[in-house]
Amino acid sequence: MIDDLDRPVRRRLHRTELEHARTDLTKARGIVVDYTAELGEIEGRLPHLEAAVADAQATYRTRPRVERERHAIGRVLDRDIAARAPSLAADPPDYLMEHLGRRPDRGVAADLWDEAAGRIGQHRTAFDVADTDNILGRSTTLWEDSPFTASRREASEAWDRLDRSLGRGLEIEPPGLDLGLSL
């Protein structure tokens, strides 16, 4: 457009169009420079991204084996809990009696007691918890992700299921004068 209109006779008649064309050309050059720089950055990251994709694909290929191993470990842990339950039910330690209560004679509550006792015993043994007041050991944060936290959570959930089945759920105290801010 510039070549066609930028002639002495036509220049005067098409001055505005020529200015717009020159402005557009300047903007286009800037855009090309910006996109060329961005393309260079992307090409620089490409080897890292290709390596990450290759790692992800290798991990994905090993997933079935890892899943089988995880399920096998879960079965071993479940058998361990089942093996612990009879000995804990026959002669429960004082801390279990204090926290779980006496083992129900039969039914779902007895099964839940066995599971809770087995999980608590397994957790205490695996992580060498000796505290009898806090039978699951130190408290953990919600965002902590560790084997200790996972085991503690499983034991706590089993304990909660037992409490709910026995009607010992958490109760919320009604508001009273003693609840409030102290100034």
Side-chain angles (χ1 to χ4, degrees):
M1 177 186 246
I2 291 173
D3 288 342
D4 186 39
L5 298 177
D6 196 15
R7 299 213 157 86
V9 174
R10 296 181 131 204
R11 192 176 299 146
R12 241 178 210 207
L13 297 172
H14 300 286
R15 180 176 293 152
T16 305
E17 292 160 338
L18 282 169
E19 288 175 14
H20 287 302
R22 286 186 183 110
T23 303
D24 290 345
L25 185 60
T26 303
K27 286 180 186 177
R29 286 180 184 144
I31 290 171
V32 167
V33 168
D34 291 345
Y35 283 143
T36 302
E38 186 178 342
L39 182 60
E41 291 174 17
I42 290 171
E43 286 175 345
R45 291 191 318 241
L46 194 57
H48 172 71
L49 294 173
E50 288 171 341
V53 166
D55 288 346
Q57 288 172 336
T59 300
Y60 183 73
R61 283 190 296 274
T62 63
R63 184 172 181 210
R65 179 184 52 81
V66 171
E67 286 293 317
R68 282 191 306 276
E69 290 173 3
R70 186 177 66 82
H71 288 296
I73 290 169
R75 287 190 299 274
V76 168
L77 291 173
D78 288 344
R79 281 194 301 268
D80 178 65
I81 289 168
R84 288 174 186 276
S87 63
L88 290 171
D91 186 23
D94 292 338
Y95 66 85
L96 269 183
M97 290 296 291
E98 182 180 324
H99 290 86
L100 297 183
R102 189 179 65 72
R103 181 183 185 275
D105 294 330
R106 62 185 175 278
V108 174
D111 294 339
L112 290 172
W113 192 97
D114 291 345
E115 181 189 3
R119 285 195 185 277
I120 290 169
Q122 184 182 63
H123 173 76
R124 289 175 62 83
T125 301
F127 297 100
D128 199 27
V129 176
D131 189 355
T132 56
D133 292 328
N134 187 359
I135 63 173
L136 296 178
R138 66 176 173 79
S139 294
T140 58
T141 58
L142 292 175
W143 55 87
E144 185 178 334
D145 186 24
S146 67
F148 176 85
T149 304
S151 175
R152 188 179 199 286
R153 181 178 46 252
E154 291 290 326
S156 178
E157 289 171 357
W159 187 357
D160 288 344
R161 284 190 296 275
L162 171 65
D163 283 347
R164 281 193 307 275
S165 77
L166 297 173
R168 297 188 303 210
L170 297 176
E171 295 179 14
I172 298 175
E173 293 181 21
L177 296 176
D178 59 336
L179 296 177
L181 297 174
S182 300
L183 300 176

